Each structure stands twice: as C-alpha cells, then as structure tokens.
Amino acid sequence: MRPYLVTGAASGIGAAVVRLLLADGHEVLAVDRAEQPGIVQVDLADPDAVARLVADTGELAGVANVAGVPGTAPAQTVLRVNFLAARALGQALAPRLPRGAAVVNVASLAARRPGVDDATAWRLATGPDADVLDFAYTTSISGPAAYDLSKKLLVAHTTVLAAEHAAAGGRACAVSPGPVQTPIIDDFRTSMGAGVDAAEELLGRHATAEEIAAVVIFLLSPAASWVNGVDLPLDGGLLAVRTVSALGART
C-alpha cells in the first residue's frame, strides 16, 4: 500500500490529517522537525534535508504539505519552510503519485492580505529559490510580511503544479484557513495583531485542526477527483461576514 506523505505531522492540522488517514486504514509517512515516535525528523528549513527526504521517498498515495511556521520566525525561515520546501516536495513527488492522486498545500487567508503585487509574486513563485531568498534579503521583509508572501507564493505554485500535471491526471489543490486553534495560535496573535481575536469575535470561535484536516482528507481522496487547481478558503464564513459588513456600511 502506498503511504501518504504529511509534513508538519507532529501537531496541529498536520497531526489531525495523520490521525484521520490512519483511522481510514491508510499508511502515512509522517514528517516533522519534532522528535516524536512515528515521525520522520526533517528540518524543512534545510534544503539538503528536503533533498534527502525526496531521495528516500518512493511512490506515494498523495502529499499533504501542512508544515508551516508563523511570522514570529525570521523571514528567510518562513519562506524556506512555508513555500520553498513545499514547492520542492510538490515538484519532486507529484510524478510519483498515481493518476487522480493529489498534492494538497495548506496556505492561509493571509495570502489575500495587501503586500507584494501579483506580478512580483508570480515571478517569485515560478523562479529559482535564490530569487525568493534574495527578495527577502534586499527588501528586509519582516517575518509577518514574509508569512503573507509565503502563502501567496504557495497558492500560485499550486496553480502551476495543477496545470503541469492535469493532462496526466495529476491534481494539486490548496486550502486557505483563517485562524485555527492550534499550539501556535499565540504566535499568530503576536505577528498578526488584533485581527486574530477580531475573527474569533465575529464567528464565535476559531476553526479546529480537525475541521481543516477533514477538507484536506477530502481533497486527497478519490471523491475529489475533479477538483484541481483550486484554493479553498476555510474561514467559517469570515470573508462573507466582512464583505456584508463592508457593503452595509456603504449604504
């Protein structure tokens, strides 16, 4: 049986994805930088470690790129983990998936925040790793801004990956959660400010890791065979509430 590869598997959304896959009887190659039983320890901020992971991985049933670090981390670390590692794994492992299988990337609603323009983001998403890291260095981008950019680049990469493999039956999708109640929620409060708590006030709560994981599982499954190249916002209606509130304020 081919395993599913899941990064960020030690906690939060990644751990929930692993639990659901195992409960459904699937095998899982669980990857994280944390040292835990059942986890393949890999530092995704290290490109050599990512390359070794690729070299040591055979055929897969699907890939869930869940690993991510918040904007409290240094900008280059954020970009390496959240985008460059996910892109490297998607590009290398997509050809090892059976027809109809998927790479699912966990992005964020933060990808929609104002920041780097779309043309620059597209250039970085489709260019070499060095261009992404040089951009972070030359612009002195902050950790929070790098987080937003990393997720915008990941969404763009998902589109590219889907287009490259569509004719062969390959799929790539992204999900973009709003705030999720995970062990790093306080890091997001620090890096994103009042918006995190404001979202909770509007909706009454944050998402659970299991609610996001359930959609990732669906996208990995044969039931999503005709879902490709999309980015699904998983926000509990947050964007809808904000849109209606804004429109109402104008009338």
Side-chain angles (χ1 to χ4, degrees):
M1 181 184 297
R2 296 185 183 204
Y4 286 88
L5 185 145
V6 181
T7 68
S11 65
I13 298 169
V17 170
V18 171
R19 287 195 297 271
L20 291 176
L21 286 171
L22 291 175
D24 286 341
H26 299 291
E27 293 185 4
V28 179
L29 175 58
V31 174
D32 202 285
R33 67 177 177 177
E35 186 176 357
Q36 290 186 14
I39 297 287
V40 176
Q41 191 174 15
V42 179
D43 181 2
L44 296 178
D46 179 357
D48 291 334
V50 174
R52 288 193 295 271
L53 173 62
V54 168
D56 292 341
T57 300
E59 294 184 336
L60 298 167
V63 176
N65 280 312
V66 186
V69 295
T72 49
Q76 292 209 5
T77 300
V78 171
L79 290 165
R80 284 187 183 278
V81 174
N82 295 5
F83 172 61
L84 293 179
R87 181 173 68 169
L89 291 173
Q91 288 175 330
L93 300 178
R96 304 182 193 180
L97 304 180
R99 187 175 184 87
V103 174
V104 179
N105 296 317
V106 176
S108 170
L109 283 189
R112 300 170 182 237
R113 288 157 61 102
V116 174
D117 64 89
D118 289 344
T120 299
W122 187 261
R123 175 179 61 82
L124 294 173
T126 56
D129 290 7
D131 285 359
V132 176
L133 299 174
D134 287 347
F135 179 85
Y137 177 77
T138 57
T139 62
S140 299
I141 193 170
S142 67
Y147 181 85
D148 296 353
L149 176 60
S150 71
K151 298 304 187 178
K152 189 169 189 174
L153 299 183
L154 188 57
V155 171
H157 163 67
T158 302
T159 303
V160 173
L161 193 64
E164 289 177 344
H165 294 279
R171 298 188 298 115
C173 300
V175 297
S176 285
V180 182
Q181 195 67 48
T182 70
I184 59 173
I185 188 67
D186 285 338
D187 290 281
F188 287 111
R189 288 190 174 98
T190 298
S191 61
M192 294 184 172
V196 174
D197 289 330
E200 185 176 21
E201 290 172 7
L202 285 173
L203 299 177
R205 66 178 178 88
H206 291 319
T208 67
E210 288 74 17
E211 287 171 318
I212 307 305
V215 181
V216 173
I217 295 296
F218 165 70
L219 292 173
L220 288 170
S221 77
S225 59
W226 205 237
V227 184
N228 197 14
V230 301
D231 171 37
L232 295 179
L234 305 182
D235 65 349
L238 179 62
L239 293 178
V241 171
R242 286 176 172 171
T243 298
V244 171
S245 297
L247 291 173
R250 296 174 191 168
T251 59

